[in-house]
Amino acid sequence: MYKFCKDIGRGNFSKVKLAVHQLTRDSVAIKVVDRSRLDARALRMLSREVTTLECVHHPNILRLFEVVETLNRVHLVTEFISGGELYHRLINEGPIQEQQASKLFRQLLSAVRHMHNLGFVHRDIKAENVLLVNEDKVKLADFGFSTQLSNDPCRTFCGSPPYAAPELFSDDDYVGKPVDVWALGVLLYFMIIGNMPFRAPTVPALRASVLKGDYLLPGHLTLPLIRLIQRILVHVPSRRPTIEQMSQCQWLNNPPKPPSSDINRKKSGFWRIKARNIRSSRSTKDLTLLDSRTLVPIACNTRRGNSVLEDNFLFPLDVISRDEVDADQQVHASQQRRSFFGANSKKKIGPMETDRRESGKMFKRSSCVEISNASEVLNDKKHILMESKSAINIHNSVQPEEEEEGEFIMRPTFTYDLTHLHPMEVETRRILEKLGITGEMLCHSISSGPRSDVIGAYRIVINRLQKQIMLAKLKETLAKEEANATKSKGNTTSCVIL
């Protein structure tokens, strides 16, 4: 049913291979596990991974298609993620900017919250188990250490030691959810800074470092991010925030703006004076223009209480929307405008406003940069946009939250009447009919779950439709951006001085 192409990964007891489904012609990833090399603990981990992936279904969790068992091997057929691991991205290209990290971290929080709501904990969250779909989307993988919560506390030491919470090193019982929260905090630190908060050459030394709790935060980070990391990395498990509280923090809901590198400023006398004033004043507003290496690191400790454990610690600043800021700037500018040629002249020129100039509100200077960037994005992504009339029709007929959610995605509906089914399931059954898989075969295979090749083909086709819908949405968004860029390019602005 599957044709192996090449090896794309390797573990202690398994290999990950790229394969092609012979019937649907879709690419998949197959984790091949050698049973003869597994002990009882490893077999339990494999069983937990299959059980968890069958119960949790989320857009940011790796999709399981099929489980094929032979006499000596177990094959886990999952979706193929071409972007690779987040760990390799961080090692090869360095840390991620705060705005991009905020987008990816929110997706991880959504996936972990979905697991926790269903009563599961991951217990092995790390950069190696986060897969990059593209620059704007990630998926959580490797659920071998996951378990379903019960009334009894957990006792097994799980996960990677650099991401392990202090209670795991205490050789005592622990609660699963705070362990995931701690690992998310360490992962966020690694994404932003590029190294681990607690480092040591050996596991005993690492244990001592984690229990001691000392770590450093670079001074160039924004205040909401600093406080979020401090709030997560707390020694007492019960005082760590929940996933829901982390999702509502200021850093995620109001991410910082990316640094503006599109405008090349000339080294004129004005900018030399501006740089000199920045170095002398070192005001809070101008700290972002300084080199991060000149800022003093912030010493933190996981055992410190006091202000770190306040209830409102995740919301330290007043949230001001960008529209309010723009409105305040316009009012302030209108109050300071003056006549340049006298009281009777209608031409009025306001003072120099550097921030507005950078945002493209004076003479539309940044609009040209935005137009060129949009055209480059279109040229780069045109080759991946797929023309699928069925996917576009489904995209227009369903709500956005229904495109990757619903029981029908993992288990087809037990019915032969297609009138009341979801449009995506109807299209999937229509494609499978052409391949020789009837609705009766689907209904008889529901009870077998992932161990049925019919259910595997169903999940592969429905996953393909979801990707086509995503690409259709991308094409629609890029078309709108191109139309807006063309419109902005046509509206030229002229300035006449009498």
Side-chain angles (χ1 to χ4, degrees):
M1 187 61 72
Y2 297 93
K3 181 180 180 180
F4 291 104
C5 299
K6 62 178 180 178
D7 292 344
I8 56 177
R10 182 181 295 271
N12 294 329
F13 306 105
S14 62
K15 296 180 181 179
V16 182
K17 296 178 176 289
L18 175 65
V20 177
H21 193 275
Q22 294 291 80
L23 188 62
T24 64
R25 312 305 299 173
D26 289 277
S27 299
V28 297
I30 300 182
K31 181 178 181 180
V32 184
V33 183
D34 189 356
R35 278 184 172 181
S36 60
R37 301 178 58 188
L38 299 182
D39 54 8
R41 182 171 178 265
L43 286 173
R44 285 196 303 269
M45 290 175 55
L46 181 63
S47 177
R48 286 175 180 174
E49 184 172 9
V50 175
T51 302
T52 304
L53 287 175
E54 274 296 290
C55 296
V56 297
H57 169 247
H58 190 271
N60 299 114
I61 292 180
L62 187 69
R63 188 80 55 83
L64 175 67
F65 293 146
E66 187 179 350
V67 178
V68 181
E69 299 186 40
T70 61
L71 185 61
N72 297 322
R73 290 179 176 82
V74 178
H75 304 77
L76 302 184
V77 185
T78 64
E79 60 178 319
F80 172 62
I81 306 299
S82 59
E85 299 175 0
L86 177 62
Y87 175 81
H88 293 149
R89 158 65 177 82
L90 296 174
I91 293 299
N92 297 330
E93 302 182 24
I96 305 175
Q97 295 292 335
E98 284 194 32
Q99 188 188 43
Q100 185 71 11
S102 174
K103 184 185 302 182
L104 301 181
F105 191 69
R106 177 185 291 277
Q107 298 175 20
L108 291 175
L109 289 182
S110 178
V112 177
R113 180 175 59 237
H114 177 72
M115 290 186 59
H116 288 183
N117 291 339
L118 294 177
F120 290 89
V121 288
H122 192 280
R123 299 196 299 180
D124 195 20
I125 297 175
K126 56 183 179 180
E128 292 88 334
N129 293 338
V130 178
L131 303 179
L132 284 170
V133 180
N134 50 50
E135 288 296 324
D136 297 325
K137 187 173 182 179
V138 293
K139 291 205 173 191
L140 189 61
D142 199 346
F143 292 80
F145 286 110
S146 63
T147 185
Q148 192 166 9
L149 295 175
S150 61
N151 296 329
D152 298 330
C154 302
R155 295 179 177 86
T156 307
F157 183 93
C158 296
S160 179
Y163 294 84
E167 56 267 27
L168 292 175
F169 290 108
S170 300
D171 299 330
D172 200 358
D173 298 343
Y174 63 91
V175 183
K177 292 182 180 180
V179 169
D180 282 350
V181 171
W182 176 279
L184 285 170
V186 176
L187 177 58
L188 176 61
Y189 188 101
F190 186 31
M191 292 169 60
I192 295 294
I193 301 171
N195 52 36
M196 292 294 173
F198 309 102
R199 299 182 296 276
T202 62
V203 175
L206 179 63
R207 175 182 180 274
S209 177
V210 172
L211 293 179
K212 186 179 179 181
D214 291 330
Y215 65 98
L216 295 176
L217 284 173
H220 69 274
L221 302 181
T222 58
L223 181 59
L225 175 58
I226 291 175
R227 295 196 170 188
L228 175 61
I229 295 176
Q230 287 179 329
R231 184 66 178 86
I232 296 174
L233 299 181
V234 176
H235 190 86
V236 182
S238 60
R239 295 198 174 187
R240 294 174 201 153
T242 62
I243 301 295
E244 195 66 36
Q245 291 172 341
M246 294 165 60
S247 302
Q248 297 174 1
C249 72
Q250 180 184 355
W251 182 72
L252 290 175
N253 294 318
N254 293 272
K257 296 181 180 179
S260 57
S261 59
D262 296 333
I263 301 177
N264 296 323
R265 296 172 176 171
K266 295 181 179 179
K267 296 296 183 179
S268 61
F270 170 77
W271 290 112
R272 286 196 296 270
I273 296 174
K274 181 69 175 176
R276 188 189 313 152
N277 293 337
I278 292 175
R279 288 192 295 269
S280 61
S281 63
R282 291 182 179 269
S283 61
T284 305
K285 180 179 179 180
D286 296 328
L287 281 178
T288 56
L289 300 178
L290 290 173
D291 189 356
S292 60
R293 292 173 294 180
T294 63
L295 300 177
V296 179
I298 303 171
C300 305
N301 187 278
T302 60
R303 290 180 176 273
R304 292 176 185 172
N306 301 330
S307 61
V308 176
L309 303 178
E310 292 179 359
D311 293 336
N312 61 345
F313 194 78
L314 294 179
F315 312 95
L317 304 176
D318 294 332
V319 180
I320 303 176
S321 64
R322 297 176 184 176
D323 296 337
E324 295 176 356
V325 174
D326 295 340
D328 293 340
Q329 290 179 352
Q330 292 177 0
V331 173
H332 183 67
S334 62
Q335 292 176 353
Q336 292 188 359
R337 285 180 180 175
R338 61 189 182 275
S339 176
F340 190 76
F341 293 102
N344 296 328
S345 176
K346 294 183 179 180
K347 178 63 181 177
K348 295 183 179 181
I349 300 177
M352 181 178 294
E353 300 173 272
T354 306
D355 296 336
R356 295 184 61 192
R357 194 173 190 176
E358 292 177 2
S359 61
K361 293 184 178 179
M362 292 185 64
F363 307 114
K364 305 290 183 182
R365 290 186 179 178
S366 65
S367 60
C368 298
V369 178
E370 295 173 359
I371 294 170
S372 62
N373 290 340
S375 61
E376 291 174 3
V377 171
L378 281 171
N379 293 331
D380 292 339
K381 295 184 178 180
K382 277 181 179 178
H383 66 282
I384 65 171
L385 297 179
M386 302 171 60
E387 290 292 338
S388 176
K389 295 182 180 179
S390 60
I392 296 175
N393 294 333
I394 296 173
H395 168 53
N396 295 330
S397 61
V398 299
Q399 299 295 327
E401 62 273 6
E402 295 178 355
E403 292 176 358
E404 295 192 2
E405 298 179 1
E407 292 293 330
F408 69 91
I409 293 179
M410 298 295 288
R411 301 174 186 84
T413 308
F414 189 85
T415 181
Y416 301 104
D417 185 11
L418 305 183
T419 56
H420 302 291
L421 295 181
H422 192 277
M424 192 181 298
E425 184 175 0
V426 174
E427 179 63 21
T428 302
R429 292 195 176 205
R430 187 186 66 82
I431 295 174
L432 292 177
E433 286 278 355
K434 293 183 178 180
L435 298 176
I437 300 177
T438 63
E440 184 177 0
M441 296 171 62
L442 274 177
C443 293
H444 286 301
S445 303
I446 293 177
S447 59
S448 301
R451 287 170 174 80
S452 169
D453 54 352
V454 175
I455 297 299
Y458 172 86
R459 293 178 179 180
I460 290 174
V461 172
I462 207 166
N463 184 68
R464 182 211 303 170
L465 286 179
Q466 289 176 345
K467 290 182 179 179
Q468 291 178 352
I469 292 174
M470 182 185 67
L471 292 174
K473 290 169 59 179
L474 176 62
K475 181 179 180 180
E476 182 180 349
T477 302
L478 292 177
K480 289 181 180 179
E481 292 178 357
E482 184 181 26
N484 294 334
T486 305
K487 184 178 180 181
S488 301
K489 187 176 181 180
N491 296 334
T492 56
T493 304
S494 60
C495 180
V496 179
I497 300 179
L498 300 176

